Amino acid sequence: MAGRKVCIVGVGKIARDQHVPAIDASPDWELAATVSRQGSVEGVPTFRDFDVMLAERDDIEVVSLCLPPQPRFQYARKALKAGRHVMLEKPPGQTLAEVHHLQRLAAEAGVTLFATWHSRMGKGVAGAKAHLAGKEVTGGRITWKEDVRHWHPGQDWVFEPGGMGVFDPGINALSILTEILPKPVHVLRADLDFPNGRQTPIAARIEFSRGVAMELDWLQTGPQTWDIEIETADGSHVVLRSGGNELWIDGERKPVADIEEYPALYARMADLVSEGRSDVDLSPLVHVADAMTLGRRNIVEPFAF
Amino acid sequence: MAGRKVCIVGVGKIARDQHVPAIDASPDWELAATVSRQGSVEGVPTFRDFDVMLAERDDIEVVSLCLPPQPRFQYARKALKAGRHVMLEKPPGQTLAEVHHLQRLAAEAGVTLFATWHSRMGKGVAGAKAHLAGKEVTGGRITWKEDVRHWHPGQDWVFEPGGMGVFDPGINALSILTEILPKPVHVLRADLDFPNGRQTPIAARIEFSRGVAMELDWLQTGPQTWDIEIETADGSHVVLRSGGNELWIDGERKPVADIEEYPALYARMADLVSEGRSDVDLSPLVHVADAMTLGRRNIVEPFAF
């Protein structure tokens, strides 16, 4: 049986590195077209104009949006209004209310909307969640330190309004945290470092309820750190490293799932479409909005790529 | 029949000006106690310690929280855990996630949580909503200009993290907008003016979808302006003035409700408690969080009271 036809919109780094290989490797999917201003994928029809793709290719059921968050809403809106199922890269929008809008459109059109959080598919995440179920969390530390120059070379949009700054990686940590905790937390205090002249933070320190602290830094050269540690009232100590892909419980390394993040996202999307359901959990974006609303702003040294 | 017993927590300007008179004038309610560090209400028992009030006065079913938003969550949490119905002044919290937390606690305790938006009880709001029902909105302007020195004299907390700045009055406009529009809007762009050295904006210009624009200014001396104008595709022009209390449709002044905002809030709370329901609409706070997340920050002149 041929795979379900999907169109990738936005052929940039994340599409090439993750989406295209995941689709190519899956019998569930066929990459039937791309839409991109400049990029293309060899052997796949490319459209420069999204409206033309929607008009000419009604055989394509699913649209996967890999653009930066700023233009994403207008593409998602058009796709949903054209009756296509939609997969959103993270974050699902620039604002909460625009995603609420997309949820209404998907419900009206009777199609699937999947707000993906790739880090939730980290190989150790399900094991951490299962271990924490029913336990009382008494503390935790998120340490997310990476080098923006390496991961977003020259991408000035991350420092423009809506680009999220260090919350672009930080929301990955929050997507894991909100998945594994047995009860939700909320932001109590946030310190945000804005480079002079930039519109989004480059570092942040956030204190959540239940004793959970988060440290985000986008200027980390050398080894990169994406760790989450959680302690529970019964003395358990759960550690996820490598962005959710390695799991230790009480000092012992545990076996993890053997499917990679993006193949797991596309497998989930295939299930959602088959079952006629949507999956839109905004809790990671709520934490970012709360930190940006409540946060104390410090102006730090200018940043240039 | 004696009124339902309510305790006011936080005896400041809003409690004295609005809550106490509304309770005193209603046969549904009896002001049975207050909790305040300094203030009190003549003839009403005063507690300095909220825990003592909760322990000693289990005859008091309802707690009405009139504190600034920063400490409000801890009081609301204690009240809900003690099985009391809770009324929250606006905004209902510093963050969205903390209000989600309160919603879960209220549901667990089987009590009423009412996140009040007093401006929604403006006398002309229901008439505007009824007129706009089913219409297509093509544009609108919110103009909310008042003098922070007059309305919040010396209240430095409004410029501290969580104090919301000009969104403290602006959220009143948003509570009306989200009530009267037949379909929701979302923030497209926001410009936020932060006084040098302060943590919240003193002015903002926000562009919403459906052609709705908002201008907030907290340095308006002389006449104060709290106006909302909405245009529709069928040529209708709806104007609310005086913070929702006066209504014009197509240039003609219309009759409005004859109950004041706070008496209407307490009448609604009496209904909610009787019916065992809650009323927590976070859409005004979502717009503020979205504007603070997406907004472009301009640093403007320092502000001192």
Side-chain angles (χ1 to χ4, degrees), chain A residues 73 94-98 101 104 160-162 184-187 199 210 286-287 289-290 292-297, chain B residues 73 94-98 101 104 160-162 184-187 199 210 286-287 289-290 292-297:
Chain A
F73 172 79
Q94 292 192 106
T95 62
L96 293 160
E98 81 178 35
H101 189 147
R104 288 191 301 275
E160 283 299 298
V185 292
H186 59 269
V187 175
Q199 292 291 340
R210 305 189 198 280
V286 166
H287 288 317
D290 284 348
M292 291 289 275
T293 306
L294 184 60
R296 186 172 289 279
R297 290 171 168 69
Chain B
F73 171 80
Q94 292 192 107
T95 62
L96 292 161
E98 82 178 34
H101 190 146
R104 287 190 301 275
E160 284 297 299
V185 291
H186 59 268
V187 175
Q199 291 290 340
R210 303 188 200 283
V286 166
H287 288 316
D290 283 347
M292 291 288 276
T293 306
L294 185 61
R296 186 173 289 277
R297 291 171 168 69

Side-chain angles (χ1 to χ4, degrees), chain A residues 73 76-78 80-81 98-111 113:
Chain A
F73 172 79
R77 180 175 167 276
K78 283 181 178 179
L80 294 169
K81 285 191 167 251
E98 81 178 35
V99 189
H100 294 156
H101 189 147
L102 296 179
Q103 290 181 281
R104 288 191 301 275
L105 291 177
E108 282 168 23
V111 297
L113 179 64

Side-chain angles (χ1 to χ4, degrees), chain B residues 2-272:
Chain B
R4 205 182 286 273
K5 289 179 182 170
V6 57
C7 172
I8 285 180
V9 181
V11 182
K13 182 169 168 55
I14 193 72
R16 290 178 198 285
D17 290 355
Q18 301 291 348
H19 290 257
V20 173
I23 291 167
D24 282 350
S26 169
D28 294 335
W29 293 99
E30 176 193 340
L31 182 57
T34 63
V35 176
S36 186
R37 278 179 304 178
Q38 290 145 0
S40 63
V41 175
E42 203 183 317
V44 177
T46 301
F47 292 80
R48 297 289 173 227
D49 185 322
F50 188 55
D51 296 331
V52 172
M53 189 285 291
L54 289 173
E56 292 187 358
R57 295 296 303 271
D58 57 11
D59 59 315
I60 294 179
E61 284 180 82
V62 177
V63 171
S64 183
L65 296 177
C66 307
L67 314 136
Q70 290 97 330
R72 202 176 293 150
F73 171 80
Q74 286 302 339
Y75 286 85
R77 180 175 167 276
K78 284 181 178 179
L80 293 168
K81 285 191 167 254
R84 313 305 164 92
H85 308 289
V86 171
M87 232 172 127
L88 300 168
E89 249 298 346
K90 49 72 45 173
Q94 292 192 107
T95 62
L96 292 161
E98 82 178 34
V99 189
H100 295 156
H101 190 146
L102 296 179
Q103 288 181 281
R104 287 190 301 275
L105 292 177
E108 281 168 23
V111 297
T112 292
L113 179 65
F114 182 20
T116 70
W117 299 108
H118 65 82
S119 292
R120 282 192 178 169
M121 299 301 188
K123 294 175 179 178
V125 171
K129 178 177 183 164
H131 183 79
L132 290 170
K135 291 194 198 294
E136 188 193 338
V137 169
T138 51
R141 276 167 307 291
I142 299 171
T143 312
W144 224 253
K145 297 184 175 189
E146 60 172 57
D147 182 357
V148 62
R149 291 184 176 90
H150 178 77
W151 298 100
H152 293 274
Q155 293 179 28
D156 274 301
W157 64 263
V158 298
F159 290 111
E160 284 297 299
M164 305 195 74
V166 76
F167 287 111
D168 179 88
I171 205 168
N172 295 337
L174 292 169
S175 73
I176 296 174
L177 185 76
T178 49
E179 176 72 9
I180 65 175
L181 287 188
K183 289 189 178 179
V185 291
H186 59 268
V187 175
L188 298 178
R189 261 169 291 277
D191 265 275
L192 311 173
D193 296 345
F194 285 68
N196 199 359
R198 297 282 192 173
Q199 291 290 340
T200 62
I202 198 161
R205 295 158 301 285
I206 299 173
E207 188 185 322
F208 292 91
S209 56
R210 303 188 200 283
V212 176
M214 177 164 173
E215 190 174 358
L216 304 178
D217 185 356
W218 228 1
L219 289 171
Q220 173 88 353
T221 53
Q224 310 281 287
T225 305
W226 301 286
D227 292 352
I228 297 176
E229 298 179 65
I230 303 289
E231 288 107 37
T232 66
D234 64 1
S236 229
H237 187 228
V238 175
V239 183
L240 284 165
R241 297 203 192 282
S242 302
N245 284 292
E246 296 172 17
L247 174 64
W248 278 259
I249 295 176
D250 302 334
E252 192 181 323
R253 185 148 182 188
K254 296 291 178 186
V256 295
D258 64 357
I259 182 168
E260 301 284 337
E261 293 176 8
Y262 281 80
L265 287 181
Y266 278 91
R268 170 112 181 107
M269 182 65 179
D271 288 346
L272 289 170

